[in-house]
Amino acid sequence: MPITIEQVSQKTGLSVSTVSKALNDYPDIAPETKERVLQIARELNYQPSAAARNLRRKHTNKIGFILPFAVSYISEYVSGLITGAAMAAEATGYNIVLYTNQSNQHEQLAKICRAREVDGLLLRGTDHVDETFALLDHEEIPFVITGRRVDHPHASYIVPDNFGGSLTLMRHLIDLGHKRIAFTSRPALFETNTDRMAGYLEGLRQADIVIDRDLIIETSVEPHSGYSAMNTLLNLSNPPTALFAIHDLIAIDAMQAAFERGLRVPEDLSIASFDGIQATQITKPPITTARQPITDIGKRAVEMLLKRIADHSTPPMREIVPVQLIVRESTARAQ
Amino acid sequence: MPITIEQVSQKTGLSVSTVSKALNDYPDIAPETKERVLQIARELNYQPSAAARNLRRKHTNKIGFILPFAVSYISEYVSGLITGAAMAAEATGYNIVLYTNQSNQHEQLAKICRAREVDGLLLRGTDHVDETFALLDHEEIPFVITGRRVDHPHASYIVPDNFGGSLTLMRHLIDLGHKRIAFTSRPALFETNTDRMAGYLEGLRQADIVIDRDLIIETSVEPHSGYSAMNTLLNLSNPPTALFAIHDLIAIDAMQAAFERGLRVPEDLSIASFDGIQATQITKPPITTARQPITDIGKRAVEMLLKRIADHSTPPMREIVPVQLIVRESTARAQ
DNA sequence: CGCCATTCCGAAATCGTTTTAGGTAATGAA
DNA sequence: TTCATTACCTAAAACGATTTCGGAATGGCG
């Protein structure tokens, strides 16, 4: 059985309340007493029961993280988020507790909140609905959303600068002399996609390049949808000299398609993409990409959350974090 | 404020204890009463306080997972482990709580145990020492180790079949007619390395191939140590026709080195490796590898842990899980 | 009718802390 | 000497459940 405060009280000859206050550094305990209590508590290896403390203090020092729906593996993206979150949390005495997203997400969230299992929640923008906000609001559980600019008065969020990142990527390509730049988009489920598309269009506009609808292709969420997209692009009578893929996996597929046509990257075709997953480093050539500082986002997200936990009346926070252009060997001057 | 059992008691007109028993399906409560309590509890959205319950029941339904030391990002390996663990845990009403490995690991673990923050611990074989076992033993916290066969009477562990996996990989190479098979090893910190090496040697032995010390090179933990290893191998007067890399990253580096020499894979050099990380699918050619069922290992680890939590007297369990040979395009018949 | 089982419910203890509201002794001031 | 302050400590009430133990009906049986 673990040591309880009772036993420390016995051994010191002091009351339980005095011991508690000494341990929690209350001002109405004599310094020598504090010292002695600390000493003996250490000797006994006393550590306050988390459960008892949680009950009394009405908080758990835990932050909930909902894993993506139907996980069979978690992406590099999500694990980066978790890493950052776990580090920032632990730095303040908090910990992350993982919940796998069940089919009845609303029920699950409701249970977590009402049981007061955590002090706050980290949500990914892609898996929840408006009714979630109502619940969280009602249960007064602070939360922050990552990866989506959600339009709700009480919602805090943090997102990468999708528009800005795309724009710098486009500038890079344009600076290299490219005029025919293709864009493989994605179904516009969330603003992530529309923002990146907007960056693409703005890049063209600033360079006075007229939009060629043939150069914009929508990919699906299927594994190798970038492959076929690249093929249709290369079948064009006037094919592109550069590709801006909406995310790295698409770029990798596209590069494969280009190779199979006997094209060289970057000599015949420049390829750039977004996100900066590790795989972009090991392709041949390594891919130029706009890297999301994903660990930092996770870290920053819990910092924001912690602020709202500390003071529930803190107004919601919105942050857009800059994205870093990493120029590698998949992009070169247009021939 | 959340609804408490007290309020359910009020509304039903029954005592708190009756409500509790009804909710927990005690046999000494009339079926109609149970029904009514359940009904009203649902109406009120009552959910028992986790903290109160933990205190009284003396368990938390949480499993601790210690993240690797000095995380700046967590590997695909670790995140696979976490995914499997989280799923298996949630299936039984448990959750994973993440701890980032602090410098004073022992202190950290001691605190977690003594505060009874979790019911059990999932440890990775690579970061802990014998004194950890003594602590966990003394605090009576069940634990299971992944990735290392630890020699301790109370320790449960689960590891991939490093020896068997290496042996099948070798058989594959040998069946393809290879006789000069190189092996890039790793410092023998843990049995993972020695086991894989043993599989390599056994493979040679079974095929009556004499060991050529020149074909065995030790790589370091540095990022691109596979690159230089491959180069020394290729500088040999009689270079290998196949490489068995101790893990995937090494194989990727090695392939790079081979390409730079103008060699073709697999025509001039077959390359195979161990682990089965996703990157092996996107290299060109994709790499033949012995895949660890990492999610399953995470899952199985918590199942083992749960068993020991349910009954502390369960004897420690040891499992060696089979590894799956995935033949891809990086290996071919020897010329 | 009396007695014993059952059946069902409730009172109260308990889990291990924190915190509020005193209480006592020593000190200083008048 | 007396009274108000301080300084330090403690008793007891939470926190919100679970569980033990006993008690009041009810029913069956002789």
Side-chain angles (χ1 to χ4, degrees), chain A residues 15 17-18 21 28-30 33 55-56 58:
Chain A
S15 76
S17 32
T18 303
K21 290 206 275 192
D28 64 346
I29 301 294
T33 312
L55 176 57
R56 182 60 233 229
K58 288 170 176 293

Side-chain angles (χ1 to χ4, degrees), chain A residues 130-175:
Chain A
D130 282 349
E131 109 186 285
T132 304
F133 298 138
L135 172 70
L136 265 23
D137 243 39
H138 181 255
E139 300 295 336
E140 299 180 32
I141 296 280
F143 62 98
V144 359
I145 317 275
T146 58
R148 187 173 167 196
R149 303 199 320 268
V150 12
D151 186 25
H152 182 92
H154 296 258
S156 298
Y157 61 74
I158 176 167
V159 293
D161 186 0
N162 288 304
F163 175 79
S166 296
L167 188 52
T168 38
L169 213 41
M170 285 300 285
R171 289 207 181 118
H172 166 68
L173 257 16
I174 287 165
D175 285 350

